[in-house]
Amino acid sequence: MRFVSPVDVGGFVCLLAYGVLTWVTQRSGDPSLQLFLGLSICVAAITFLLYVYFHQHPEQKISIRQLILWAILFRICGLIGGPFYEDDYYRYLWDAFRFFQDGTPYGIAPEAFFQDLGIPDQFQRILDGINYPELPTIYGPITQIVFLGGYLLSPGSVTALQVLMILFDLITIGLLIRLAPLPAVLLYAWSPLVIKEIAFTAHPDIIAVCLVVTAIILSQKNRIYFAAICLALAVGAKVIALLVVPFVLLRTRIHVWGIFIGTLGLIYLPFILQGSTDLDTLFVFTREWEFNAAFFGLLKPWMSNSTARMICGFLLIAGLLSYYLVFRHQRSGFIVRGDWIYGGLLAIWPVVNSWYLLWLLPFAVLRPSAWAWTASVAVLLSYITGLNLNNFDMHPFAHPDWVRPLEYGLILFAMGYDLYRMKVQKIMAIVHEY
């Protein structure tokens, strides 16, 4: 009798869970929070158990074919199901339309087109769905080029964007296979957060994330010029890629930095010449928005908004400088702890959307930790808002009082477990020496 691999058993159960989510979204729109969170916890538990099993039994192997096949099937479920709990994709589609029509998506807020009778009906409906229509777009030039690619494939189609984001996601998985053991890659490839935010919802952070991982691999192979170009493209896709640039380009010569700065300048130049970029709205975002914050949420009741943001900004800079002083003494080829950098950013930042975790998860593949993968599930609690609860007595993006304590409490508990495990490992190493 042929042995059935636990990967295939786990993959089949996860596929059923994603299939249910797809069926519900196709049938009735947004799934209930109980169903979504329940299925996500189920899939995450199976994925974590598989990782633990193969980590503890290294003689047992996962094949690349198994990992990729199930990962693709899960993403097909997302492609069929489409976005839920989200309306950001209206902005993506509108930006692509503006880019195609006007040569730039920047400078003019969507509300300026509300009375424009020349807008096709399809895009008038898209325009009506955009959130914060009073603000121009916040997405970077490289991301806008990908949006434009979706438009060229099928104007106004979120499915085209989903396909493109899934391709970037699968490329990222392929890159991670070159850097980490397969059980660790499985944590990312099967992650319910990754499937929801990329395959179902087409969030474009994966573009920059993929470019950052590419840059890391290129730097490992001493192809530093191409790494610098990839980093510039990543920053051009989303500005927070800047946080890892000094670490990847550490010990490089000045002309490598020149390639990075020059490439980034060329990316932005056409839009600067036309009068505007994403940076205008990015400043508004940094100055005013707040959602699901951890440390910032603790500060805000006790001081002004600007003071709380200044403190968080100072802590971020201090943390990065402190880590840089440590990192510069690491051996050549040591990969930056992006999980620490982006985990620290999200701990203090005023806005913590669930898809922001996409930035730290590839680094958590390289160095798996309980806190990072717990965070990938706990952050899904942020979808428990007044809007998704259909509670008209609450602000649409407000949480019940228990959500953030539970969300961040779970992460802190996992951090405690990681510290305890490290302490035990050190004690055991000392015992073995004697």
Side-chain angles (χ1 to χ4, degrees):
M1 182 176 179
R2 185 180 177 184
F3 176 71
V4 179
S5 167
V7 176
D8 292 328
V9 174
F12 180 73
V13 176
C14 292
L15 184 63
L16 290 178
Y18 287 124
V20 169
L21 205 55
T22 299
W23 181 77
V24 171
T25 54
Q26 282 288 295
R27 182 181 177 88
S28 56
D30 291 353
S32 69
L33 287 166
Q34 295 91 331
L35 178 66
F36 168 64
L37 293 173
L39 292 175
S40 296
I41 292 170
C42 174
V43 170
I46 291 170
T47 304
F48 297 162
L49 287 172
L50 284 171
Y51 169 76
V52 171
Y53 173 79
F54 285 102
H55 184 70
Q56 294 180 348
H57 299 84
E59 73 281 1
Q60 300 291 329
K61 303 295 182 182
I62 301 175
S63 74
I64 293 177
R65 181 194 63 80
Q66 285 177 306
L67 188 151
I68 294 294
L69 174 63
W70 290 112
I72 290 173
L73 290 175
F74 301 158
R75 284 154 177 79
I76 290 174
C77 289
L79 187 64
I80 297 171
F84 60 90
Y85 303 154
E86 293 286 348
D87 55 12
D88 287 355
Y89 63 92
Y90 288 117
R91 174 77 73 164
Y92 313 156
L93 299 174
W94 174 254
D95 285 358
F97 172 74
R98 284 260 350 269
F99 200 167
F100 183 79
Q101 295 291 323
D102 304 332
T104 178
Y106 300 118
I108 305 177
E111 67 177 8
F113 296 88
F114 283 165
Q115 305 301 321
D116 189 339
L117 299 179
I119 302 297
D121 290 343
Q122 178 188 15
F123 285 94
Q124 189 64 60
R125 291 190 295 270
I126 289 171
L127 182 59
D128 292 340
I130 295 175
N131 57 29
Y132 302 104
E134 71 279 8
L135 295 174
T137 185
I138 198 172
Y139 299 102
I142 297 301
T143 298
Q144 296 290 355
I145 291 171
V146 177
F147 291 166
L148 180 61
Y151 180 93
L152 296 175
L153 288 174
S154 181
S157 168
V158 69
T159 302
L161 288 179
Q162 287 174 274
V163 169
L164 292 176
M165 301 310 162
I166 288 171
L167 287 176
F168 279 100
D169 188 23
L170 292 174
I171 291 170
T172 301
I173 293 172
L175 295 171
L176 290 173
I177 288 172
R178 304 179 66 174
L179 291 171
L182 289 182
V185 178
L186 182 137
L187 288 170
Y188 175 92
W190 290 21
S191 165
L193 181 140
V194 173
I195 305 300
K196 192 276 176 191
E197 302 301 351
I198 299 174
F200 278 90
T201 315
H203 273 294
D205 288 61
I206 188 58
I207 301 167
V209 171
C210 180
L211 289 165
V212 166
V213 177
T214 302
I216 288 172
I217 288 180
L218 289 170
S219 69
Q220 294 287 299
K221 294 181 174 295
N222 293 318
R223 302 179 69 180
I224 199 65
Y225 298 152
F226 292 106
I229 292 171
C230 275
L231 287 173
L233 293 173
V235 175
K238 191 155 188 173
V239 173
I240 63 171
L242 270 173
L243 298 184
V244 298
V245 170
F247 301 94
V248 179
L249 297 186
L250 182 68
R251 303 186 186 96
T252 59
R253 296 181 179 180
I254 191 66
H255 65 274
V256 176
W257 283 90
I259 291 172
F260 167 76
I261 294 170
T263 303
L264 189 59
L266 288 174
I267 290 168
Y268 271 94
L269 183 61
F271 304 101
I272 292 173
L273 293 176
Q274 294 182 78
S276 188
T277 67
D278 59 311
L279 300 181
D280 301 327
T281 302
L282 184 64
F283 290 136
V284 176
F285 169 83
T286 304
R287 188 173 62 244
E288 298 178 6
W289 290 0
E290 190 269 336
F291 176 75
N292 194 38
F295 183 70
F296 176 82
L298 295 175
L299 291 181
K300 193 175 178 183
W302 304 100
M303 59 191 70
S304 68
N305 175 65
S306 59
T307 301
R309 289 174 190 269
M310 286 178 62
I311 291 173
C312 289
F314 172 79
L315 289 174
L316 175 63
I317 293 170
L320 288 172
L321 288 175
S322 299
Y323 179 55
Y324 184 81
L325 293 175
V326 174
F327 182 81
R328 63 201 294 254
H329 297 295
Q330 296 286 354
R331 69 184 187 278
S332 179
F334 184 84
I335 296 177
V336 59
R337 291 300 302 258
D339 52 339
W340 290 358
I341 291 173
Y342 290 111
L345 172 69
L346 297 178
I348 63 175
W349 210 239
V351 179
V352 184
N353 291 308
S354 58
W355 55 91
Y356 291 0
L357 271 290
L358 294 172
W359 283 88
L360 70 85
L361 293 187
F363 295 99
V365 168
L366 305 183
R367 299 179 181 93
S369 61
W371 75 264
W373 293 104
T374 297
S376 75
V377 182
V379 75
L380 297 176
L381 292 169
S382 65
Y383 281 110
I384 305 176
T385 61
L387 179 65
N388 293 327
L389 290 170
N390 295 315
N391 187 335
F392 299 105
D393 295 327
M394 295 174 60
H395 185 279
F397 298 112
H399 295 119
D401 292 339
W402 56 269
V403 167
R404 292 194 205 183
L406 177 59
E407 176 185 351
Y408 292 108
L410 289 169
I411 298 171
L412 288 173
F413 180 81
M415 284 183 173
Y417 171 76
D418 282 330
L419 292 173
Y420 170 77
R421 187 179 60 178
M422 288 172 58
K423 184 176 181 179
V424 169
Q425 289 174 344
K426 287 181 179 179
I427 292 173
M428 293 301 295
I430 293 172
V431 170
H432 283 304
E433 285 183 3
Y434 291 95

